[in-house]
Amino acid sequence: MLHQTPPKRLVIFIAALFALIGQSHANADSGKYQKVLQSVAWVITSNAENETSTGTGVLVDAEKKLLLTNSHVVGDSRKAVVFFPDSPGGKLAVRRKHYLKNILKLGIQGTVIAVDRRRDLALIELPKVPESVTAIKLAAESTTPGTKVDLVGNPGDSDILWVYTSGTVRSVYQKKFKSTHGEHDFMAVETQSPIKPGDSGGPIVDENGELVALAQSFSPQSTLVSFCVDVTEIRQMLESPWKSAPLPTRVLLDEAGIEYTRHESGHYQIDQAIGNDVRQAVFVAKHTEYHGRADVRRIWSTVQSSETAPEETLLMRLMRQNSATKIGSWAVEKNSDGYIVFFVAKLDATASDDALESTIDYVARLAGAMQKDLKPETSEASAEATLAAWLEMK
């Protein structure tokens, strides 16, 4: 077939047409970015160890002043500092130092009022919302593979905020997995787009700028594969009764006025009085344990440590007592040094100060009674034999 070179004018026309189409898409993306940006926030939290972490959030309810983010972004924090985009002189400020320098003017102190670790979602209630900020519109239904999506986030490896990232939906499916933040099970939107630490909690929007998912994590095998929480999960959380977020252990103990010391393990030790000049060491776990919507706080006290396994008579006795205890149970654990017998209670992590104090007292008294019972009484004869043996030692 004879190839004919197209006329020069036609070539110029086609090039101009493609340029115009490209410019049209660019303008559309820019307009969508500006629209979504009005709902996005930079979130800073601090845990009980005063370790600071940052992430992203999106305003989902302007009337109730609710900001949505991931539960792993807030962690055990119950307070958060939130920044919305600032445009001094009509130009968007993108550097972090601008917001930190003007924290008194731009920073908003929010309160974490709800967490859903199964879905990895959390809600932050704000005392106010700037006039320039608007709540994002939630999509009516899940997105589909092949859909073009965009993210506005705050990647932690950059000094720049409000970063725009585009991608494509790979799949939508139920995802169940474990992480250091608990067990997760939610409808996931898998995208082909890079999500970095700090982007977590950022809005994933469709071509209409509507929220179709929330950025959650990225694949350890491929940085271009990311996982997001589907909008149906977000709607269900917003429409269902919220679960109160438990306080960090240190904050709870401080608010309850309970004196403690920090054990070398990181757990909190309380020397609880159980009688005249008698105290029993009780420990409260530094971290809250999670299972689904259940948040529990572990409280325990050790009564015996030995290199050999407990005798059968002691084990049977502990089993009988387990059926009679009101809170908690006896347990035996084996570690590198031998065997430990202890009493442990698991308290609802959102329980009141009084409930915490009562549980600590109950654990201390029960463990103290068992410890006294297991300790052999020293007779005069055995004391004399011990003294004689010591005197014979060289």
Side-chain angles (χ1 to χ4, degrees), residues 357-373:
E357 290 183 83
S358 298
T359 303
I360 291 173
D361 184 66
Y362 184 81
V363 170
R365 291 184 182 280
L366 210 60
M370 178 63 76
Q371 193 170 46
K372 181 180 179 181
D373 201 31

Side-chain angles (χ1 to χ4, degrees), residues 203-262:
I204 304 294
V205 300
D206 61 14
E207 293 183 348
N208 297 320
E210 296 182 357
L211 185 72
V212 295
L214 200 73
Q216 196 265 341
S217 62
F218 56 88
S219 171
Q221 286 77 35
S222 174
T223 55
L224 286 179
V225 176
S226 303
F227 306 108
C228 314
V229 185
D230 187 66
V231 68
T232 58
E233 301 284 6
I234 295 170
R235 284 188 176 278
Q236 288 176 25
M237 180 191 182
L238 294 174
E239 293 169 2
S240 64
W242 298 334
K243 184 178 182 299
S244 299
L247 291 171
T249 301
R250 179 182 60 81
V251 175
L252 185 62
L253 292 172
D254 287 341
E255 290 190 356
I258 299 175
E259 294 185 2
Y260 61 86
T261 57
R262 198 72 183 271

Side-chain angles (χ1 to χ4, degrees), residues 54-188:
T54 67
T56 307
V58 58
L59 191 73
V60 290
D61 192 321
E63 183 179 350
K64 295 181 180 179
K65 304 178 183 65
L66 297 180
L67 188 82
L68 179 72
T69 187
N70 293 129
S71 65
H72 78 257
V73 169
V74 300
D76 286 334
S77 301
R78 293 302 159 254
K79 295 292 182 181
V81 177
V82 173
F83 293 96
F84 287 102
D86 183 40
S87 299
K91 185 178 181 180
L92 176 65
V94 297
R95 296 195 177 277
R96 295 172 187 261
K97 62 181 181 181
H98 168 78
Y99 295 88
L100 297 177
K101 183 179 178 180
N102 296 281
I103 187 171
L104 295 179
K105 176 184 177 183
L106 303 176
I108 301 173
Q109 291 182 291
T111 301
V112 180
I113 60 170
V115 291
D116 188 331
R117 287 184 173 78
R118 182 179 69 82
R119 296 184 172 104
D120 198 8
L121 298 175
L123 286 173
I124 301 173
E125 185 179 45
L126 305 176
K128 61 180 181 179
V129 174
E131 293 183 1
S132 59
V133 175
T134 59
I136 200 165
K137 184 178 180 181
L138 274 61
E141 55 187 19
S142 300
T143 186
T144 56
T147 301
K148 183 180 180 298
V149 291
D150 302 297
L151 161 70
V152 178
N154 303 300
D157 61 354
S158 171
D159 184 46
I160 304 301
L161 301 173
W162 326 120
V163 176
Y164 172 86
T165 304
S166 63
T168 307
V169 176
R170 288 164 50 93
S171 184
V172 181
Y173 58 94
Q174 194 71 25
K175 182 176 176 62
K176 187 174 183 179
F177 65 104
K178 291 183 179 180
S179 74
T180 54
H181 311 288
E183 298 180 356
H184 309 297
D185 185 1
F186 54 79
M187 185 64 68

Side-chain angles (χ1 to χ4, degrees), residues 309-332:
E311 297 181 356
E312 184 178 350
T313 53
L314 174 57
L315 293 176
M316 293 299 295
R317 181 178 176 185
L318 296 179
M319 289 180 63
R320 288 195 299 271
Q321 287 204 11
N322 277 344
S323 63
T325 55
K326 297 181 178 66
I327 305 173
S329 61
W330 291 100
V332 179

